[in-house]
Amino acid sequence: MEAYAGTSQPNVRQLAHSLLAWADPERDTRIAREAVTRMRASGKAVFCVWSGQRLRDDYDIDHCFPFAAWPCGDAWNLMPASRQINNEKSNRLVTQGALERASEYITNWWEGAFLAGSDDAKNRFYLEAGQTLPLLIERPAPADIIDAMKVHRIRLAKDQGLRPWEPRPTTGPGAPIAAGFQQA
């Protein structure tokens, strides 16, 4: 057995360093961008979750909870947004009211992007939500995930002291009413 193992012992210091090394989280929105591409290819419109406006080619993927404060690239945290609104929001934390008003757009986004597709995408979505949000049930409905986001939002606001963000009402012909997200 000794001949097989040789005489070399593991370098414990090097092993400990590699196991304890901090890995910077990667800011990756590919899963959401690919979902936008799939939805558009199948003829579905994609809307800004914060304003309700239909998105054209010029859009961003927003981290609902700012990546700078809470580096989470899970599917449930990635939202399509207009570039202007995403820039306004920046690293601020969406208010409870804005999250509630956007909940229908968010759940519609999740349904079209992750839940109506393959079992793999759906399973990944629920696995990630279950691992990072305070969910109390095994197979939550989208409304349960929104509720868990509201709880987590309160925790982030308290622990991180993030500045709040509330979308400005959208006006103009064909623009949805921001307070109710109704199409004109």
Side-chain angles (χ1 to χ4, degrees):
M1 190 69 156
E2 286 181 32
Y4 174 75
T7 57
S8 66
Q9 295 293 319
N11 182 332
V12 176
R13 180 172 279 190
Q14 184 180 13
L15 180 61
H17 177 72
S18 68
L19 292 174
L20 296 174
W22 179 262
D24 284 329
E26 197 174 309
R27 188 182 198 114
D28 186 1
T29 60
R30 248 178 314 183
I31 187 171
R33 290 192 177 281
E34 290 168 358
V36 167
T37 300
R38 271 194 320 277
M39 288 174 67
R40 287 180 168 171
S42 68
K44 294 178 185 169
V46 178
F47 297 89
C48 172
V49 298
W50 306 121
S51 70
Q53 292 180 316
R54 185 177 182 158
L55 296 175
R56 305 292 180 208
D57 292 333
D58 191 26
Y59 73 94
D60 280 342
I61 298 297
D62 176 39
H63 287 80
C64 179
F65 298 140
F67 190 86
W70 193 63
C72 175
D74 293 353
W76 64 265
N77 193 40
L78 300 175
M79 314 282 171
S82 78
R83 183 152 293 154
Q84 176 186 350
I85 286 177
N86 192 40
N87 287 336
E88 287 171 10
K89 181 176 171 282
S90 186
N91 288 329
R92 294 188 289 168
L93 185 62
V94 64
T95 64
Q96 200 79 347
L99 188 56
E100 288 173 10
R101 285 188 300 279
S103 63
E104 186 175 342
Y105 277 108
I106 292 170
T107 56
N108 287 343
W109 157 247
W110 289 339
E111 186 64 36
F114 309 112
L115 303 178
S118 72
D119 284 342
D120 287 343
K122 186 185 309 185
N123 290 337
R124 176 182 175 172
F125 178 87
Y126 285 117
L127 177 67
E128 289 175 347
Q131 289 176 339
T132 54
L133 289 172
L135 293 169
L136 301 175
I137 56 177
E138 186 175 323
R139 199 58 151 172
D144 298 319
I145 296 174
I146 294 285
D147 288 343
M149 288 174 70
K150 291 175 187 175
V151 170
H152 192 64
R153 189 216 150 279
I154 292 168
R155 188 180 302 155
L156 280 175
K158 181 181 175 225
D159 295 346
Q160 300 280 336
L162 299 173
R163 293 181 309 141
W165 175 78
E166 179 83 27
R168 286 186 275 160
T170 307
T171 58
I177 301 168
F181 291 118
Q182 298 168 351
Q183 290 285 48

